[in-house]
Amino acid sequence: MCRARGCYSLSNMRTNEVMVRLEAAVSALGDVDVSAWPEDTLKDQLGELSAALVALDAVLSRVADGVRARGLRIEEPVSA
């Protein structure tokens, strides 16, 4: 990924840093509730929202494919 400060890849980051960033992303996405958005706002933002969701899907698929390519399974955590 390229950012204002240059390009880096998740594989070059320490594992703990990667996990902290993933958890922060999940937390941020957990706060999104489009059902609370006014209809006009949702319509106005639909293009950007769609682009973000498609990009997110592509990144998640790439990460999941990388895990599966190493012969591992992605499983849902079991609730306690």
Side-chain angles (χ1 to χ4, degrees):
M1 295 181 154
C2 291
R3 305 263 180 181
R5 295 184 301 204
C7 295
Y8 65 92
S9 101
L10 290 177
S11 62
N12 293 333
M13 298 174 71
R14 289 184 26 231
T15 304
N16 289 340
E17 291 171 357
V18 171
M19 294 309 301
V20 167
R21 292 178 84 143
L22 286 171
E23 290 168 4
V26 169
S27 178
L29 289 169
D31 293 339
V32 176
D33 180 7
V34 296
S35 69
W37 294 8
E39 192 72 18
D40 289 341
T41 301
L42 183 55
K43 288 179 181 177
D44 289 345
Q45 297 295 318
L46 190 55
E48 286 183 67
L49 179 61
S50 295
L53 291 172
V54 167
L56 181 60
D57 181 60
V59 172
L60 290 173
S61 294
R62 180 187 56 79
V63 172
D65 289 347
V67 170
R68 290 183 193 107
R70 302 214 27 204
L72 301 169
R73 291 183 48 190
I74 297 173
E75 299 178 7
E76 289 189 44
V78 176
S79 298

